[in-house]
C-alpha cells in the first residue's frame, strides 16, 4: 500500500502512524476476543450470558460421510420444536437455542467449527455424532475448553482408546461422554446371527488398513476365533482400491462360506460386483460400516438383496424419546412422510442426543455451570429411542454401551413405497427388540 | 493362475484408468493445465446419465448418447467462461481455478442429489456382473472387456483426430506455441475451448464406466483423479497411446501388488508412478519442455 506523498492532512485525516496504531489495536482486539470469550466460557460461576441455553451440534452434513448427516435437518426440527417453549430449571425459565454446524467429514473442519461454537458462541453443551473424523476432534476441543459434550455413532473403543485413554482407565475424561456400541456388540451379534445358516465356519474377511479396520482386526478377530470360526485374512487393503481379484481368488480357493467386511461404500460395491463376476458366492455376506442406509444397498441392485448387516436403531426399537415423546415407530414414519425418504438408522441416536441434553439441563440446579452439567451427565439416566442410557454402569465412567443387532436386507413387502427393508434377525444385545425373521443364506 | 488372473484384471482396470486419463492428458498436453476438476466433471457426467436413466428409463449406455453432447457443450462453455480468463493469469491461476471448480461441482452435486450413493451397475443390466469363466481361477468380465475396448477406441480416435485432421494439426500447433500459431491465423481460444469440450466428453464416458464398475456420490471425483494423473505421467504427456499404456501399467501394478499382499495394491501403483517421475520423463515434466 502506498499513500501518495502529496496527500494533505485535510484530505486524508488518517496519517500513516494513526493507521498503523489503529490496525495494531484492531488486531490485538481480534486476537483477544476469542480469549475473552473463552474466559467467559470457562468461568463456570453461572449468571453470565443471560437466560438462553446454547447447544452446539456438529455432524457431517457434506463430504464422504454426508450420508450420516442426512436425517439431521429433520431431527433438528423436532428438537427445536420440543425446546420452543424453553426449559424451567430451578424456578428459572431458560430459552434453548440449537446451533448446528457441518463438520464436512473432515477432522480439521470439525475442530474448527467446534472451537467457533465454544469460543465465539459460548455454548453451554456440545452434541456431536457420526464417525471418528467428526466426533473425536469435537470431543477433544470440548475436553480442552471444559465444555460438556455428548457424542454417539462411533464405536466406543475408537472414541475412548483412540483419544489416548487406556483400556484400564476408569474415567479418562472430565467433560466428554459417549454412548455407542463397541466391538463386543459386533461379536455378540455375529455369534448369534451366523449359526442361523449352516456353513463351514470359514470367514473370509476384508478389513481395510484404516482406524476401523485395524481395530476390528485386533479386537474382533480373536473373539471370532474363540467362537470356533476360522478367519481367512488376506491382509489389510487401502481404502479406495479399485480391484479385489487377489482377495476374491483367495476366498474362492479357501472356500470361505462367510464373508465379513468393514469397508467404505464404493469399495464394497467394487468388491461385490467383482466377486459376482468371478463367481465368489458366500452363504453369508456380513457387511458393516457400509450398508447402513437403504440407498447404499439399493445402489447395488439385485446383488444387494440378502446382504446381512447390523443396526444400532430401527423403528422396531420399543422405546421413545423422553424430550419429544415420539416413539421409534413414529419417528421413522414421520421422517418418511415429511422428508419422503426411507428411514435410516441415524434418526434414533441423533434424537437421543437431544434427549440427553434436555435431561442433563433438568438434572442440575444451574445449567450454566459447565462443571456441574458435566458431572451430571456422568450419573444420568435418560430414555431415548435407542434405549435407556445409564452412565456409570458402562465399561468406564464416560461411556454407555448401546446395542447393535444383526439383520438382513430383504425385498420390501408388497405395496411398500421402498425397494428394500432391513429386518432384525437376532437380538442378543437387547432382547426387548423383536426378532422379525431368521437369517437366510445369500441368494436363497 | 493367480498371477495370470491378476494381470488380466489389471488390464481391464487399466482400461478404466486410461479412459479417465485421456481427457486429463489432452488438456495438459494442449494447455499445460492440470485440471483438478477432471474427476468431478466425470462424476457430474455420471449424475447426468443417472438422471436420464431414472427419468426416462433409458439404459445407461443409451443415455450416454444424449449425455455426451450436453457435456461437450458444458466443457466448451466452461472454457469460454472460466478457464480462458484464468489462463491469462499465469501458471498458478488455472490450477487454483480448477481446484475451486472441483469444490463447487462437488457441493452443487451434493445439494442437488443429496449424499446418497448411486450406481449405474444395476440399471446397465445383469451382464455387467457376468463373465467368461475360463478356469475356476480365471474369469474375464464382460464389462472389463467393454471398458478396455472403449478406451482403445476413444484414445485411437483422438490419436487419429490429432494426427490426420486439420483440427488436429491446429491443436498440435497451438500446443507447441500458441503465439506463433496465432500468427498464422489459428485462434488459440477456440482450439482450447474445443479441446476442453472433448476432455469433458471423455470424462463423462469415464464417469459412466466408473458408475457401472462401482458406486459414486458427490465426493467420488478426487480419488479417481489421482489414478488418472498417475496414468498420464506414467504414459508420458502428449502421447495418447502412451496414456493407454500408462493406465494399463498402473492397473496391472495395482492388481499384481495386491496379489503379493493387499496392502501393496495402491502402493505398487504409486511406486511405479514415482519411479517414472524420478526418471528422465519426470525431469522433462518439471522443466516443462515435453513436446505436446
Amino acid at each position: 500500500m502506498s499513500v501518495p506523498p502529496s496527500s494533505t492532512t485535510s484530505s486524508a485525516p488518517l496519517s500513516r502512524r494513526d493507521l498503523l496504531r489503529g490496525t495494531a489495536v484492531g488486531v490485538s482486539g481480534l486476537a483477544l476476543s476469542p480469549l475473552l470469550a473463552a474466559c467467559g466460557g470457562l468461568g463456570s460461576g453461572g449468571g453470565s450470558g443471560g437466560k438462553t441455553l446454547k447447544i452446539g451440534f456438529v455432524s457431517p452434513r457434506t463430504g464422504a460421510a454426508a450420508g450420516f448427516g442426512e436425517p439431521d435437518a429433520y431431527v433438528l426440527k423436532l428438537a427445536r420444536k420440543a425446546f420452543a417453549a424453553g426449559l424451567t430449571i430451578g424456578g428459572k425459565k431458560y430459552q434453548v437455542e440449537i446451533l448446528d454446524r457441518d463438520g464436512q467429514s473432515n477432522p480439521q473442519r470439525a475442530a474448527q467449527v467446534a472451537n467457533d461454537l465454544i469460543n465465539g458462541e459460548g455454548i453451554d453443551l456440545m452434541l456431536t455424532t457420526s464417525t471418528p473424523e467428526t466426533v473425536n476432534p469435537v470431543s477433544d476441543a470440548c475436553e480442552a475448553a471444559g465444555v460438556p459434550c455428548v457424542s454417539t455413532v462411533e464405536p466406543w473403543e475408537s472414541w475412548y482408546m483412540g483419544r489416548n485413554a487406556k483400556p484400564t482407565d476408569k474415567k479418562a475424561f472430565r467433560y466428554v461422554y459417549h454412548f455407542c456400541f463397541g466391538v463386543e456388540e459386533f461379536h455378540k451379534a455375529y455369534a448369534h446371527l451366523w449359526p442361523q445358516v449352516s456353513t463351514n465356519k470359514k470367514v473370509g474377511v476384508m478389513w481395510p488398513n484404516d482406524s476401523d479396520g485395524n481395530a476390528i482386526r485386533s479386537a474382533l478377530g480373536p473373539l471370532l476365533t474363540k467362537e470356533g470360526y476360522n478367519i481367512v485374512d488376506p491382509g489389510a487393503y487401502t481404502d479406495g482400491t479399485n480391484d479385489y481379484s487377489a482377495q476374491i481368488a483367495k476366498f474362492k480357493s479357501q472356500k470361505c462360506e462367510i464373508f465379513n467386511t468393514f469397508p467404505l461404500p464404493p469399495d464394497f460395491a467394487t468388491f461385490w460386483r467383482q466377486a459376482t463376476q468371478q463367481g465368489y458366492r458366500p452363504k453369508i455376506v456380513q457387511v458393516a460400516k457400509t450398508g447402513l442406509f437403504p440407498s447404499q444397498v439399493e445402489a447395488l441392485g439385485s446383488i444387494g438383496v440378502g446382504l446381512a448387516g447390523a443396526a444400532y436403531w430401527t423403528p422396531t426399537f420399543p422405546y421413545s424419546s423422553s424430550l419429544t415423546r415420539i416413539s421409534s415407530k413414529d419417528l421413522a414414519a414421520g421422517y418418511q412422510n415429511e422428508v419422503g425418504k426411507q428411514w435410516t438408522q441415524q434418526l434414533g441416536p441423533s434424537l437421543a442426543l437431544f434427549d440427553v441434553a434436555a435431561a442433563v439441563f433438568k438434572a442440575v440446579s444451574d445449567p450454566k455451570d459447565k462443571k456441574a452439567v458435566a458431572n451430571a451427565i456422568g450419573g444420568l439416566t435418560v430414555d431415548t429411542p435407542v434405549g435407556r442410557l445409564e452412565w456409570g454402569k458402562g465399561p468406564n465412567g464416560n461411556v454407555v454401551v448401546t446395542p447393535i443387532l444383526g439383520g438382513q436386507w430383504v425385498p420390501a413387502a408388497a405395496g411398500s413405497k421402498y425397494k428394500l427393508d432391513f429386518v432384525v434377525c437376532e437380538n442378543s444385545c437387547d432382547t426387548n427388540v423383536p426378532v422379525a425373521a431368521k437369517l437366510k443364506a445369500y441368494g436363497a | 493362475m493367480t498371477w495370470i488372473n491378476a494381470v488380466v484384471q489389471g488390464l481391464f482396470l487399466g482400461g478404466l484408468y486410461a479412459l479417465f486419463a485421456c481427457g486429463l492428458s489432452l488438456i495438459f498436453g494442449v494447455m499445460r493445465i492440470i485440471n483438478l476438476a477432471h474427476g468431478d466433471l466425470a462424476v457430474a457426467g455420471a449424475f447426468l446419465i443417472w438422471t436420464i436413466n431414472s427419468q426416462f428409463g433409458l439404459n445407461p449406455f443409451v443415455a450416454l448418447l444424449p449425455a455426451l453432447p450436453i457435456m461437450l457443450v458444458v466443457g466448451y462453455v466452461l472454457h469460454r467462461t472460466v478457464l480462458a480468463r484464468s489462463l491469462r493469469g499465469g501458471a498458478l491461476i488455472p490450477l487454483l481455478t480448477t481446484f475451486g471448480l472441483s469444490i463447487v461441482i462437488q457441493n452443487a452435486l451434493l445439494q442437488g442429489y443429496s449424499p446418497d450413493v448411486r450406481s449405474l451397475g444395476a440399471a446397465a443390466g445383469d451382464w455387467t456382473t457376468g463373465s467368461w469363466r475360463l478356469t475356476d481361477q480365471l474369469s474375464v468380465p464382460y464389462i472389463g472387456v467393454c471398458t478396455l475396448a472403449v478406451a482403445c477406441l476413444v484414445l485411437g480416435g483422438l490419436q487419429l483426430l490429432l494426427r490426420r485432421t486439420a483440427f488436429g494439426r491446429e491443436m498440435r500447433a497451438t500446443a507447441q506455441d500458441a503465439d506463433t500459431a496465432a500468427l498464422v491465423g489459428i485462434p488459440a481460444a477456440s482450439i482450447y475451448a474445443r479441446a476442453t469440450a472433448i476432455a469433458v466428453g471423455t470424462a463423462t464416458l469415464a464417469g459412466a464406466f466408473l458408475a457401472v464398475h462401482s458406486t459414486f456420490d458427490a465426493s467420488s471425483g478426487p480419488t479417481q483423479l489421482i489414478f488418472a494423473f498417475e496414468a498420464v505421467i506414467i504414459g508420458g504427456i502428449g502421447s495418447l497411446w502412451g496414456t493407454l499404456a500408462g493406465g494399463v501399467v498402473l492397473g496391472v501394478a495395482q492388481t499384481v501388488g495386491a496379489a503379493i499382499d493387499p496392502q501393496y495394491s495402491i502402493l505398487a501403483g504409486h511406486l511405479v508412478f514415482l519411479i517414472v517421475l524420478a526418471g528422465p520423463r519426470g525431469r522433462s515434466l518439471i522443466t516443462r519442455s515435453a513436446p505436446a
Side-chain angles (χ1 to χ4, degrees):
Chain A
M1 198 194 85
S2 64
V3 178
S6 61
S7 69
T8 61
T9 43
S10 61
S11 67
L14 205 64
S15 80
R16 188 169 159 176
R17 188 164 294 173
D18 282 340
L19 185 70
L20 283 176
R21 197 179 294 140
T23 316
V25 170
V27 167
S28 58
L30 277 175
L32 272 177
S33 60
L35 277 176
L36 288 173
C39 291
L42 282 169
S44 45
S48 64
K51 289 199 180 162
T52 299
L53 295 173
K54 287 185 174 178
I55 302 174
F57 180 82
V58 182
S59 65
R61 304 281 285 271
T62 58
F68 285 92
E70 208 182 353
D72 284 352
Y74 180 72
V75 171
L76 282 163
K77 206 181 105 188
L78 293 180
R80 288 202 171 102
K81 207 168 121 194
F83 279 128
L87 288 173
T88 309
I89 300 153
K92 277 207 231 167
K93 197 159 169 70
Y94 293 89
Q95 294 301 312
V96 180
E97 189 183 350
I98 301 169
L99 302 153
D100 61 303
R101 297 286 184 273
D102 177 13
Q104 299 180 359
S105 312
N106 174 335
Q108 283 83 29
R109 178 71 189 168
Q112 192 191 341
V113 294
N115 281 315
D116 284 351
L117 284 170
I118 293 165
N119 299 327
E121 301 285 354
I123 54 163
D124 300 288
L125 176 68
M126 181 79 88
L127 305 175
T128 181
T129 175
S130 309
T131 78
E133 286 74 23
T134 301
V135 173
N136 285 2
V138 174
S139 296
D140 285 340
C142 289
E143 181 72 11
V147 172
C149 174
V150 184
S151 50
T152 186
V153 192
E154 172 190 354
W156 71 262
E157 287 94 347
S158 112
W159 179 83
Y160 200 65
M161 273 80 98
R163 296 174 45 250
N164 297 328
K166 287 184 206 71
T168 49
D169 284 346
K170 286 267 180 289
K171 187 166 183 279
F173 307 108
R174 288 165 61 211
Y175 286 95
V176 296
Y177 295 87
H178 192 72
F179 64 93
C180 198
F181 50 83
V183 170
E184 176 55 33
E185 282 64 46
F186 276 114
H187 164 226
K188 265 196 205 166
Y190 291 175
H192 286 86
L193 192 60
W194 293 349
Q196 296 181 15
V197 171
S198 81
T199 60
N200 60 5
K201 297 194 106 178
K202 269 193 154 179
V203 188
V205 298
M206 260 192 18
W207 292 331
N209 187 14
D210 58 21
S211 59
D212 287 330
N214 292 327
I216 289 296
R217 175 171 286 105
S218 64
L220 183 63
L223 291 175
L224 291 176
T225 311
K226 216 179 279 173
E227 291 280 340
Y229 289 99
N230 190 350
I231 306 278
V232 178
D233 185 357
Y237 69 95
T238 311
D239 289 330
T241 298
N242 281 326
D243 183 278
Y244 296 93
S245 34
Q247 287 95 324
I248 294 165
K250 183 143 192 184
F251 297 152
K252 269 165 67 181
S253 67
Q254 300 271 329
K255 302 209 167 20
C256 300
E257 291 186 347
I258 304 176
F259 169 74
N260 176 230
T261 184
F262 280 70
L264 299 179
D267 295 351
F268 178 68
T270 309
F271 167 82
W272 192 229
R273 295 184 67 80
Q274 245 188 334
T276 313
Q277 283 165 10
Q278 300 185 17
Y280 175 54
R281 198 182 166 93
K283 286 185 180 169
I284 301 174
V285 191
Q286 185 75 48
V287 190
K289 193 169 157 182
T290 186
L292 294 174
F293 311 129
S295 70
Q296 294 169 341
V297 184
E298 261 173 43
L300 293 166
S302 59
I303 60 172
V305 181
L307 296 185
Y312 37 83
W313 178 81
T314 68
T316 56
F317 271 51
Y319 307 112
S320 298
S321 151
S322 53
L323 169 69
T324 59
R325 308 276 164 208
I326 296 174
S327 69
S328 290
K329 189 166 168 254
D330 294 341
L331 179 61
Y335 179 72
Q336 295 190 155
N337 285 339
E338 223 166 288
V339 182
K341 299 188 84 161
Q342 196 169 4
W343 65 272
T344 88
Q345 302 184 25
Q346 282 294 103
L347 285 164
S350 290
L351 189 55
L353 283 174
F354 291 98
D355 290 333
V356 175
V360 73
F361 281 144
K362 286 179 195 158
V364 291
S365 53
D366 177 9
K368 287 277 177 188
D369 183 346
K370 295 193 171 62
K371 198 172 265 175
V373 169
N375 287 337
I377 303 172
L380 196 68
T381 299
V382 52
D383 286 315
T384 74
V386 296
R388 175 167 288 183
L389 306 178
E390 284 177 276
W391 270 277
K393 286 195 171 177
N396 59 64
N398 295 104
V399 172
V400 176
V401 173
T402 57
I404 193 156
L405 307 179
Q408 190 168 27
W409 289 98
V410 297
S416 165
K417 269 200 289 183
Y418 308 103
K419 287 179 190 155
L420 294 170
D421 200 7
F422 183 85
V423 292
V424 173
C425 300
E426 67 83 33
N427 61 0
S428 57
C429 289
D430 185 346
T431 46
N432 294 329
V433 182
V435 171
K438 192 167 170 260
L439 184 74
K440 291 191 192 77
Y442 176 79
Chain B
M1 196 51 88
T2 314
W3 298 102
I4 299 173
N5 192 45
V7 173
V8 168
Q9 305 302 331
L11 202 66
F12 300 135
L13 183 60
L16 183 65
Y17 288 161
L19 260 185
F20 260 103
C22 78
L24 201 65
S25 172
L26 190 72
I27 290 198
F28 192 86
V30 176
M31 278 178 277
R32 295 270 178 257
I33 296 180
I34 297 169
N35 180 9
L36 294 177
H38 190 75
D40 301 296
L41 286 165
V43 171
F47 270 108
L48 179 64
I49 294 169
W50 181 86
T51 308
I52 296 171
N53 164 262
S54 55
Q55 289 294 315
F56 305 104
L58 291 176
N59 185 290
F61 291 104
V62 181
L64 258 174
L65 296 175
L68 272 179
I70 296 174
M71 292 305 281
L72 284 170
V73 172
V74 167
Y76 191 88
V77 172
L78 184 70
H79 186 274
R80 286 289 184 181
T81 52
V82 179
L83 294 180
R85 287 160 201 248
S86 68
L87 264 178
R88 289 183 225 126
L92 205 59
I93 301 296
L95 202 64
L96 289 174
T97 309
T98 55
F99 182 67
L101 192 64
S102 143
I103 295 171
V104 169
I105 294 174
Q106 280 177 43
N107 285 289
L109 289 175
L110 184 69
Q111 195 69 39
Y113 288 93
S114 83
D116 287 356
V117 294
R118 293 178 168 82
S119 173
L120 294 176
D126 282 339
W127 68 274
T128 54
T129 50
S131 63
W132 290 285
R133 303 267 164 76
L134 300 184
T135 71
D136 188 40
Q137 288 297 322
L138 179 63
S139 44
V140 177
Y142 305 142
I143 186 71
V145 175
C146 180
T147 313
L148 191 63
V150 169
C152 290
L153 278 176
V154 168
L155 285 155
L158 279 177
Q159 185 76 8
L160 270 180
L161 181 81
L162 278 180
R163 294 290 147 194
R164 295 289 157 96
T165 65
F167 170 60
R169 208 157 44 238
E170 289 174 2
M171 201 184 281
R172 280 184 289 138
T174 311
Q176 287 195 342
D177 190 333
D179 294 335
T180 313
L183 284 179
V184 293
I186 302 170
S190 152
I191 298 292
Y192 285 166
R194 277 183 272 174
T196 313
I198 295 172
V200 173
T202 61
T204 306
L205 211 52
F209 278 98
L210 173 75
V212 173
H213 180 80
S214 180
T215 55
F216 63 101
D217 58 57
S219 58
S220 301
T223 341
Q224 303 308 323
L225 177 75
I226 297 174
F227 298 135
F229 183 69
E230 289 183 344
V232 172
I233 300 295
I234 294 171
I237 288 138
S239 157
L240 287 166
W241 288 125
T243 303
L244 182 64
V248 168
V249 167
L250 184 67
V252 171
Q254 288 187 352
T255 49
V256 170
I260 299 166
D261 186 310
Q263 280 195 43
Y264 300 143
S265 169
I266 302 278
L267 190 67
H270 290 336
L271 280 179
V272 172
F273 164 72
L274 285 176
I275 291 166
V276 172
L277 205 60
R281 191 176 283 155
R283 275 200 291 283
S284 73
L285 179 78
I286 290 158
T287 54
R288 292 179 155 258
S289 62

